Amino acid sequence: MRTPRLEIDLDKIYFNTQTLVKRLAARGISVMGVTKAVLGAPEIASVLLKAGVSSLGDSRVENIKTLSRAKLDAQKILIRTPMLSQVDEVVANADISFNTEIEVINALSAASLRVDKTHGIVLVIELGDLREGIMPNDLGSILTKIRRCKNITIQGIATNLACLSGVAPDATNMAELSQLANSVEATLGSRLRIVSGGNSANLQWALGGANIGRINNLRLGESLLLGRETLHRKAITGLHIDAFTLIAEVIESKTKPSQPWGVIAQTAFGEKPPSTSAGHQSQALIAIGRQDVDHSGLYPPPGIEILGASSDHLLVDSGDSSLAVGDKVKFNVNYSALVRAMTSPFVHKVMKQKSTPIDKPSLSIK
Ligand SMILES: *Cc1c(COP(=O)(O)O)cnc(C)c1O
């Protein structure tokens, strides 16, 4: 098998998803499976659907197209507001898109009219994390304008917290979203299908016994794939945190002085060189780099310590584990390392299900 490779255990993803879908269903909350970290990989999307997610969400229209081409029987939702330059592609491939700007909604309306389709929108509301969203006070005026847009239907409202500012979903901001759902419905005179409270950072709130109010959906990515909640990155009890493992190969192994010599300026990435102790160390060079992975999000096996990385090389102190040229080293990954490894065409993706490997050497990137 080729290296470097990301081994993807589809059974573990299935188990994580089914577990969270069931726990949330007991609270009246459906799950939108978010596939952006895996570039909309149809094999993974189909596992999420089998495990019970009610729809698929992705932030990139390219990934939504990948899902479209796979002809999965699922509602597809673009969860980032569309670029004006992409509205035709959005209408052609997504059933619903998340929106915050009237210009974009007008353009989606025009694009939908051109192809005689109806496009659904979810209005994203800013509740303090200061990434995307309509300010609650501006909701009334944007609703008036949207009601004039032909071929656009308002499917729901949503908010997104814990991303840019780390604002935690709690009883206060979730109650505000519920109350806004009521007031939007009063204005429209119809019921909203979706009231989406947030992402994997909402799990503690949703499963903690709080009053969930009008919230009937969460959009989950990281918790399904890596088994962690994202407020404190704690493993969720009972879930697998190792559905993805990265395997890379040693190309040099030597004992070298632990201190560099010569005049010290800056490194390839403009950082200060790592500070190391005196003496010698067993160091191994592994053929994977920053172009392929965020090395700060790699968890090496016990006894091995990551010293640094450049574009194409990862340097580790192999301690007493004496790595030899040709050895394969297995790492666990965090979300950041996962996203970059999925996106690198140099990292092969190997899907495994019920001990039968489904080799997908090139998940093509469009
Ligand atoms: C990425 C994303 C999600 C999923 O977040 P996770 O932390 O992976 O669960 C949900 N909503 C939006 C808008 C996103 O961009």
Side-chain angles (χ1 to χ4, degrees), residues 34 36 59 79-80 98 131-132 160 163 198-201 219-223 230 233 335:
V34 176
K36 66 191 184 196
S59 51
I79 58 173
R80 184 175 72 181
F98 276 28
R131 197 178 72 179
E132 74 273 46
N160 194 71
C163 275
N199 52 45
S200 297
R219 312 173 302 275
L220 303 182
E222 182 166 348
S223 50
T230 55
R233 290 264 152 25
Y335 189 76

Side-chain angles (χ1 to χ4, degrees), residues 47-60:
V47 165
L48 301 184
L49 288 167
K50 283 192 194 111
V53 303
S54 60
S55 60
L56 297 172
D58 205 292
S59 51
R60 310 281 175 141

